[in-house]
Amino acid sequence: MASSHSSSPVPQGSSSDIFFKKEVDPSKHIRPVQSLPDVCPKEPTGDSSSLCVAPSLVADQHRWTIYHSKVNLPAALNDPRLAKRESDFFTKTWGLDFVDTEVIPSFYLPQISKEHFTIYQQEISQREKIHERCKTICPPKDTFDRTLLHTHDKSRTDLEQVPKIFMKPDFALDDSLTFNSVLPWSHFNTAGGKGSRDAASSKLLQEKLSHYLDIVEDYLKKTSQAVKMLRDKIAQIDKVMCEGSLHILRLALTRNNCVKVFNKLKLMATVHQTQPTVQVLLSTSEFVGALDLIATTQEVLQQELQGIHSFRHLGSQLCELEKLIDKMMIAEFSTYSHSDLNRPLEDDCQVLEEERLVSLVFGLLKQRKLNFLEIYGEEMIITAKNIIKQCVINKVSQIEEIDTDLVVKLADQMRMLNFPQWFDLLKDIFSKFTIFLQRVKATLNIIHSVVLSVLDKNQRTRELEEISQQKNVAKDNSLDTEVAYLIHEGMFISDAFSEGELTSIAVDTTSQRNASPSSEPCSSDSVSEPECTTDSSSSKEQTSSSATPGGVDIMVSEDMKLTDLELGKLANNIQELLYNASDICHDRAVKFLTSRAKDGFLEKLNSTEFITLSRLMEAFILDTEQICGKKSMSLLGALQSQANKFVNRFHEERKTKLSLLLDNERWKQADVPAEFQDLVDCISDGKIALPEKKSGATEERKPAEVLIVEGQQYAVVGTVLLLIRIILEYCQCVDNIPSVTTDMLTRLSDLLKYFNSRSCQLVLGAGALQVVGLKTITTKNLALSSRCLQLIVHYIPVIRAHFEARLPPKQSNMLRHFDHITKDYHDHIAEISAKLVAIMDSLFDKLLSKYEVKAPVPSACFRNICKQMAKMHEAIFDLLPEEQTQMLFLRINASYKLHLKKQLSHLNVINDGGPQNGLVTADVAFYTGNLQALKGLKDLDLNMAEIWEQKR
């Protein structure tokens, strides 16, 4: 049906705008396109008015809300204090007593300020600049044809004539309401006699519906044409602008996928060769390379070849192969340890096959097999036993006197060696042990350097990770300037940028993607670089090189599974193993010594032999301490034990010897051989040691009568000369065996005390009368004994200084023994002097008690006294120094004056110038003249006036 109403024309495409555009309401302004879609899809797009309808925290913070209310109305209506609710609530006075209160801000709502948006503004500033630049380069196009607006509006007006009910999506005539609305019954009712009117109304309704149909059909026809034109244009645009580019992308994707498949196949072929390659590496003992290859293959299977059916059993096979390699490495290390420790000790090479050792240690560390040190320790014990056994066999085979057929046991054969032979054997054992420890130290140093290299690599890796994390944090905080390609109005935004800007952006983006640790390697469903190779997994194992002390370069991989704590503990265990090696050698040496000492062999050694043995053992202890850095105590303890036994025997022998000498001493002055004079001269020169015998010179020198010590003459007995030699033997033994210093000091103190007490018994106690058979103890015996004691006292400070220089500081209090000995000797000397005075005192008492003052002058009593004094002087003057002789005679003279005074008092002779006084004076003058005439007593002040009592 034709319609009288003209429909709105269909908009025609033009060369400038070929797209269909909807009609625009003329009452509304047409809003131009404000901006392009933003680069970042997270940001809202559109104009500012559309953004303003959204809630704004900044703009709404001052708007009144219910939180600004001062009175809570529900609370006021439900006041519990009121008995009942008031019927008339809102009165004139209601609200007068309301009080404004301060509403405390909720602590659940933070206070927002502009500073909270600073970081966001910094992050989007670069994007905003790019967005503004895009708006400037690509302005919005307002090419709407204004002439079409009227036609479009008219078409819309015609379409609006059609009732809205026909436009509803649920329009259906089977609905009674819809049917009554479209075809009202009032147009078909003829019962009221209005048939002609109703017929006209029905006709009008029919024409109206026909008109609606024409409008809709006409509009649908135009719409169909416009849709067809739009589809044609879209198809043309797709063919011209998209189809070629998409085809290129598809080809690139296909090519990359082919490359991936090719690389995957190459990787599969490489993985397929893993087991044969591992077998080849194992045949050359390349355990580390085999383990690295297995680890790399396992990683490739888990990451890049996961799910491939043909490799489903390869992972378990590699695990079993890895376990087999662990056992092979343990066996190989055991074999290496045996070969290294049991090779000839004459070999100059310190480390056997250093590269092999480094490879084994790395493999064991890689697999966490840390018990390999126990294997090496057990091999050290076996080797130490074999060294002693082989040395004994070699030595015994050289001795023709030992019949190996009769003496089967090796220990019994060893006990048949004399000291020089056994000493040479012990020296050989110590020499072999020293070389053995040097080899062990060199090997353990290599192992220790490997462990430290792994530890150093772990620390450096951790530092690099920390630096990388810091860089990643800095990159996260930096601005992301990566720009995507955007399409707008048929052009790429990248065309608006200069080539240099795009290049720099692309380089930054590529570098960030390559540096990112989370980037996916060679995905099959994404376009990536075609250069992706099979080294993606193995590239994760970076290595660093270092060198061992022997100069062998070692490679440290990052896949070591040991922690720093475990590596540090392992390094300490290596050092402890070196200490154990020293202890093993010392323990075997102790057992060797114990085996030889079963028959008392070591206790029978003389001083020279034991000192030689002690020096050898001390040198070995010092050598092992320098090599291993620790002083082992087992051999030192055995040496100390043997030294204690030696000291006891040494002391008992010399004490017995001294006892025999004293028991046979007749206490007569002995001649001093030249060797003893040389001995004391050495002591005077500061050398406390036995002098070396001079061949031929000693026999020509005659013995001297006295011993000259630092200018003083000492008349001594033969026992004292030998005692001095014995004392020097004690001092020299301390020099040769420093460990026995304290014991020697105690024994020497005991020896000096024994000499003092025994000599006192023999001389003062007159024991020599029964022991030696002397008839009497003369004054000469007493003086000689005193002089011998003085000689020993002279050397006690020298002996004390010698021991003080060698005693440990904590044991310096033991020097008090010398102080006690010195006091005892001085007391003994004083007793001897008192004994000499007592002899003369008894003589004076006997002679002066019979003295009578009468002629002749001098009297017989005084002549006898002078004779006895001369005998006393003759006996002691050549033995004692002049000073001691004078002091002794002063004491004797004092005794003489005392007895004379007593006798004169008894005889009532006084100093009155009478005849008796003259006779006494003449006798005293005779005594004085004779006494001062004796040698050395000329200047002696006798003070004879004291014999007279003072007048009252």
Side-chain angles (χ1 to χ4, degrees):
M1 179 185 298
S3 173
S4 60
H5 300 280
S6 61
S7 301
S8 62
V10 177
Q12 301 295 326
S14 63
S15 61
S16 62
D17 189 4
I18 61 175
F19 296 104
F20 172 75
K21 293 181 173 57
K22 294 177 64 177
E23 293 180 326
V24 182
D25 189 356
S27 62
K28 299 180 180 179
H29 296 288
I30 298 176
R31 184 180 65 194
V33 178
Q34 296 294 328
S35 64
L36 294 172
D38 199 282
V39 174
C40 181
K42 297 180 180 179
E43 297 181 2
T45 57
D47 59 353
S48 60
S49 62
S50 62
L51 294 175
C52 292
V53 298
S56 174
L57 186 61
V58 178
D60 296 345
Q61 61 180 342
H62 302 295
R63 186 179 301 173
W64 191 94
T65 63
I66 60 172
Y67 299 106
H68 292 78
S69 177
K70 303 300 182 181
V71 177
N72 190 344
L73 185 59
L77 295 176
N78 297 285
D79 191 353
R81 294 173 296 179
L82 300 178
K84 62 179 180 178
R85 183 173 297 177
E86 299 179 4
S87 59
D88 189 3
F89 185 83
F90 294 101
T91 61
K92 319 186 274 191
T93 61
W94 181 79
L96 295 179
D97 56 347
F98 289 173
V99 179
D100 292 341
T101 58
E102 183 68 23
V103 179
I104 301 175
S106 175
F107 57 89
Y108 292 106
L109 300 177
Q111 295 294 331
I112 304 300
S113 61
K114 291 184 179 180
E115 284 73 12
H116 289 81
F117 299 94
T118 303
I119 298 177
Y120 173 73
Q121 290 176 350
Q122 292 176 355
E123 291 178 351
I124 67 170
S125 59
Q126 186 67 17
R127 298 178 179 178
E128 185 178 3
K129 292 178 182 179
I130 297 174
H131 179 70
E132 293 298 332
R133 189 184 302 177
C134 292
K135 288 169 58 178
T136 304
I137 297 174
C138 303
K141 295 182 180 180
D142 189 8
T143 57
F144 236 39
D145 190 355
R146 303 292 181 177
T147 59
L148 298 177
L149 293 178
H150 178 69
T151 306
H152 182 71
D153 293 341
K154 183 178 180 182
S155 176
R156 178 175 293 275
T157 302
D158 293 340
L159 186 61
E160 288 178 352
Q161 293 180 5
V162 181
K164 300 300 183 182
I165 192 172
F166 293 102
M167 304 299 180
K168 291 183 177 182
D170 57 348
F171 177 79
L173 291 177
D174 55 356
D175 185 10
S176 59
L177 296 178
T178 302
F179 185 83
N180 290 333
S181 299
V182 175
L183 299 174
W185 288 105
S186 59
H187 292 278
F188 304 101
N189 188 6
T190 56
K194 300 179 181 179
S196 58
R197 185 178 178 182
D198 293 337
S201 178
S202 298
K203 185 176 180 181
L204 180 60
L205 178 59
Q206 184 178 2
E207 291 179 355
K208 188 176 182 179
L209 293 175
S210 300
H211 177 64
Y212 291 162
L213 180 60
D214 292 340
I215 293 174
V216 171
E217 288 178 350
D218 184 60
Y219 202 90
L220 287 176
K221 181 179 179 182
K222 295 175 182 179
T223 302
S224 177
Q225 292 176 355
V227 169
K228 183 177 181 301
M229 291 175 59
L230 181 60
R231 287 179 175 175
D232 293 340
K233 288 299 181 181
I234 291 174
Q236 186 178 2
I237 291 172
D238 180 66
K239 183 176 181 181
V240 173
M241 301 185 66
C242 300
E243 186 174 347
S245 299
L246 289 176
H247 183 64
I248 293 174
L249 292 177
R250 291 190 188 96
L251 291 177
L253 181 61
T254 302
R255 180 182 180 277
N256 286 338
N257 288 337
C258 292
V259 171
K260 292 175 186 177
V261 172
F262 175 71
N263 291 335
K264 193 74 69 175
L265 292 175
K266 288 201 304 182
L267 183 60
M268 292 175 64
T270 304
V271 170
H272 185 67
Q273 295 297 322
T274 298
Q275 290 178 310
T277 306
V278 168
Q279 296 295 338
V280 173
L281 292 174
L282 292 180
S283 63
T284 58
S285 298
E286 292 289 340
F287 299 105
V288 177
L291 290 172
D292 288 339
L293 180 58
I294 291 175
T296 303
T297 305
Q298 292 277 27
E299 188 176 358
V300 171
L301 289 175
Q302 294 175 2
Q303 294 183 359
E304 302 185 24
L305 299 180
Q306 188 176 9
I308 296 181
H309 187 71
S310 58
F311 290 150
R312 64 187 183 277
H313 300 304
L314 182 58
S316 59
Q317 294 173 357
L318 293 177
C319 290
E320 293 298 327
L321 188 58
E322 188 173 2
K323 294 179 181 179
L324 177 61
I325 293 176
D326 293 346
K327 296 179 180 179
M328 292 178 64
M329 286 193 300
I330 294 294
E332 182 72 12
F333 185 80
S334 178
T335 304
Y336 174 85
S337 301
H338 180 77
S339 302
D340 179 52
L341 296 177
N342 290 278
R343 58 195 169 101
L345 295 173
E346 292 77 13
D347 189 3
D348 295 334
C349 181
Q350 290 291 332
V351 181
L352 178 66
E353 300 180 19
E354 185 173 341
E355 295 181 358
R356 176 187 175 192
L357 175 61
V358 171
S359 176
L360 281 172
V361 174
F362 265 115
L364 293 169
L365 293 179
K366 186 180 181 67
Q367 298 303 108
R368 299 178 61 87
K369 301 298 180 182
L370 306 183
N371 59 342
F372 66 93
L373 294 179
E374 299 177 1
I375 299 174
Y376 198 80
E378 294 173 356
E379 193 63 38
M380 287 193 308
I381 297 175
I382 298 173
T383 304
K385 293 180 181 179
N386 293 335
I387 287 175
I388 294 181
K389 183 178 180 180
Q390 190 62 40
C391 289
V392 173
I393 293 174
N394 294 339
K395 188 64 178 179
V396 170
S397 62
Q398 299 173 2
I399 308 301
E400 297 179 356
E401 292 80 4
I402 301 177
D403 189 353
T404 56
D405 295 333
L406 297 177
V407 183
V408 180
K409 292 185 178 180
L410 192 62
D412 296 335
Q413 296 174 2
M414 182 264 296
R415 294 189 187 96
M416 298 180 67
L417 300 174
N418 56 30
F419 178 77
Q421 295 170 346
W422 181 82
F423 183 78
D424 292 339
L425 172 60
L426 182 62
K427 184 187 296 185
D428 185 41
I429 291 173
F430 285 165
S431 175
K432 295 292 195 304
F433 274 159
T434 302
I435 299 174
F436 167 73
L437 289 177
Q438 290 174 348
R439 288 187 176 179
V440 170
K441 181 179 180 180
T443 302
L444 293 181
N445 282 342
I446 298 297
I447 299 175
H448 191 262
S449 64
V450 172
V451 174
L452 292 183
S453 300
V454 176
L455 180 60
D456 180 66
K457 180 58 181 178
N458 287 353
Q459 295 175 352
R460 282 189 292 166
T461 302
R462 186 164 55 252
E463 292 175 359
L464 292 175
E465 290 177 354
E466 293 176 357
I467 295 174
S468 177
Q469 291 177 358
Q470 294 176 0
K471 289 183 178 180
N472 290 336
V473 171
K475 288 182 180 180
D476 293 339
N477 294 332
S478 63
L479 299 177
D480 185 7
T481 59
E482 184 177 357
V483 179
Y485 288 108
L486 302 175
I487 299 178
H488 177 70
E489 295 292 336
M491 66 177 297
F492 289 99
I493 283 192
S494 59
D495 296 339
F497 292 96
S498 63
E499 183 178 357
E501 292 175 348
L502 268 181
T503 304
S504 62
I505 293 174
V507 170
D508 293 340
T509 305
T510 306
S511 63
Q512 290 178 5
R513 287 177 176 172
N514 292 339
S516 175
S518 60
S519 58
E520 295 279 341
C522 299
S523 177
S524 59
D525 51 358
S526 62
V527 181
S528 61
E529 295 295 329
E531 288 80 14
C532 181
T533 62
T534 60
D535 298 333
S536 60
S537 60
S538 61
S539 63
K540 296 180 181 178
E541 297 182 4
Q542 300 177 357
T543 59
S544 64
S545 63
S546 58
T548 61
V552 178
D553 291 336
I554 52 179
M555 305 299 294
V556 183
S557 60
E558 287 187 351
D559 60 346
M560 289 291 180
K561 305 172 184 177
L562 298 173
T563 62
D564 290 354
L565 180 61
E566 291 174 327
L567 291 172
K569 185 177 179 180
L570 184 60
N572 294 334
N573 292 341
I574 294 173
Q575 187 63 42
E576 288 296 330
L577 186 59
L578 182 59
Y579 297 157
N580 292 340
S582 176
D583 293 339
I584 289 170
C585 293
H586 282 242
D587 293 342
R588 301 311 306 178
V590 169
K591 291 184 178 180
F592 178 76
L593 291 173
T594 305
S595 176
R596 187 64 183 91
K598 284 184 178 181
D599 54 354
F601 172 77
L602 298 179
E603 298 178 5
K604 298 177 183 177
L605 299 178
N606 57 39
S607 300
T608 304
E609 291 174 343
F610 186 82
I611 289 172
T612 305
L613 175 62
S614 176
R615 288 179 176 176
L616 177 64
M617 296 173 67
E618 289 177 351
F620 176 70
I621 293 173
L622 182 61
D623 291 341
T624 55
E625 183 180 1
Q626 291 177 350
I627 294 173
C628 302
K630 179 186 176 182
K631 191 172 185 178
S632 298
M633 303 305 296
S634 58
L635 185 58
L636 186 63
L639 176 61
Q640 187 65 41
S641 176
Q642 293 296 330
N644 293 335
K645 296 179 181 179
F646 168 76
V647 168
N648 290 332
R649 183 177 56 81
F650 179 89
H651 176 65
E652 291 299 329
E653 288 179 355
R654 279 145 186 81
K655 188 175 181 180
T656 302
K657 180 179 180 181
L658 179 62
S659 177
L660 293 174
L661 290 172
L662 288 172
D663 290 343
N664 292 277
E665 181 60 56
R666 302 189 65 85
W667 297 100
K668 293 183 178 181
Q669 183 177 357
D671 293 336
V672 179
E675 60 176 323
F676 286 98
Q677 185 61 53
D678 294 338
L679 188 147
V680 296
D681 291 342
C682 288
I683 299 176
S684 301
D685 295 338
K687 184 179 180 182
I688 305 178
L690 295 175
E692 298 179 358
K693 293 184 179 181
K694 300 178 181 179
S695 60
T698 306
E699 289 75 4
E700 297 176 0
R701 297 167 56 187
K702 294 181 179 181
E705 294 182 357
V706 293
L707 186 68
I708 300 175
V709 180
E710 297 180 0
Q712 293 189 9
Q713 295 181 357
Y714 286 87
V716 294
V717 297
T719 301
V720 172
L721 293 176
L722 295 175
L723 177 60
I724 293 176
R725 183 180 182 88
I726 290 173
I727 291 173
L728 291 184
E729 289 177 354
Y730 276 80
C731 295
Q732 190 171 9
C733 186
V734 169
D735 290 336
N736 296 328
I737 313 175
S739 60
V740 300
T741 302
T742 55
D743 290 339
M744 279 296 182
L745 190 150
T746 305
R747 302 300 194 280
L748 180 58
S749 300
D750 179 67
L751 186 72
L752 293 175
K753 290 178 182 179
Y754 176 77
F755 173 77
N756 184 42
S757 62
R758 186 61 178 160
S759 61
C760 182
Q761 294 172 3
L762 293 173
V763 180
L764 280 178
L769 300 178
Q770 292 79 22
V771 176
V772 186
L774 295 179
K775 295 180 180 180
T776 183
I777 302 298
T778 63
T779 55
K780 194 168 187 177
N781 297 140
L782 292 172
L784 193 60
S785 174
S786 175
R787 197 56 175 160
C788 291
L789 293 173
Q790 293 174 24
L791 179 61
I792 301 301
V793 170
H794 174 79
Y795 283 117
I796 286 179
V798 180
I799 300 170
R800 174 193 172 101
H802 182 80
F803 277 88
E804 184 178 6
R806 289 153 181 81
L807 271 179
K810 294 181 179 179
Q811 297 176 342
S812 59
N813 58 345
M814 296 185 65
L815 297 172
R816 70 181 184 276
H817 293 298
F818 292 109
D819 299 333
H820 298 160
I821 293 172
T822 303
K823 182 179 180 301
D824 294 340
Y825 272 67
H826 281 301
D827 293 343
H828 190 183
I829 295 171
E831 290 178 2
I832 293 176
S833 299
K835 183 67 175 177
L836 292 173
V837 175
I839 292 173
M840 296 304 296
D841 183 78
S842 63
L843 178 64
F844 292 149
D845 183 56
K846 179 180 179 182
L847 295 176
L848 290 176
S849 63
K850 299 177 181 180
Y851 174 63
E852 295 179 357
V853 182
K854 64 180 182 179
V857 177
S859 63
C861 177
F862 273 79
R863 285 197 299 268
N864 196 8
I865 289 175
C866 289
K867 182 179 179 180
Q868 295 298 327
M869 292 286 281
K871 289 183 178 180
M872 170 68 74
H873 180 269
E874 183 183 1
I876 68 173
F877 183 78
D878 293 334
L879 301 179
L880 298 179
E882 184 176 344
E883 297 82 5
Q884 293 185 21
T885 304
Q886 292 178 357
M887 292 299 299
L888 180 62
F889 272 89
L890 283 176
R891 293 177 62 185
I892 293 174
N893 182 62
S895 175
Y896 160 76
K897 290 188 292 183
L898 182 63
H899 285 283
L900 179 59
K901 182 177 180 181
K902 180 180 178 182
Q903 184 64 20
L904 292 176
S905 176
H906 176 71
L907 296 176
N908 293 320
V909 179
I910 60 176
N911 189 13
D912 56 356
Q916 289 184 336
N917 180 263
L919 292 174
V920 172
T921 302
D923 287 337
V924 170
F926 175 77
Y927 165 80
T928 304
N930 279 276
L931 187 60
Q932 290 182 342
L934 297 176
K935 189 176 181 180
L937 303 181
K938 181 179 180 181
D939 298 329
L940 199 65
D941 185 10
L942 300 179
N943 194 12
M944 298 304 296
E946 295 180 354
I947 64 175
W948 304 106
E949 291 186 358
Q950 300 293 332
K951 294 182 179 180
R952 298 180 180 178

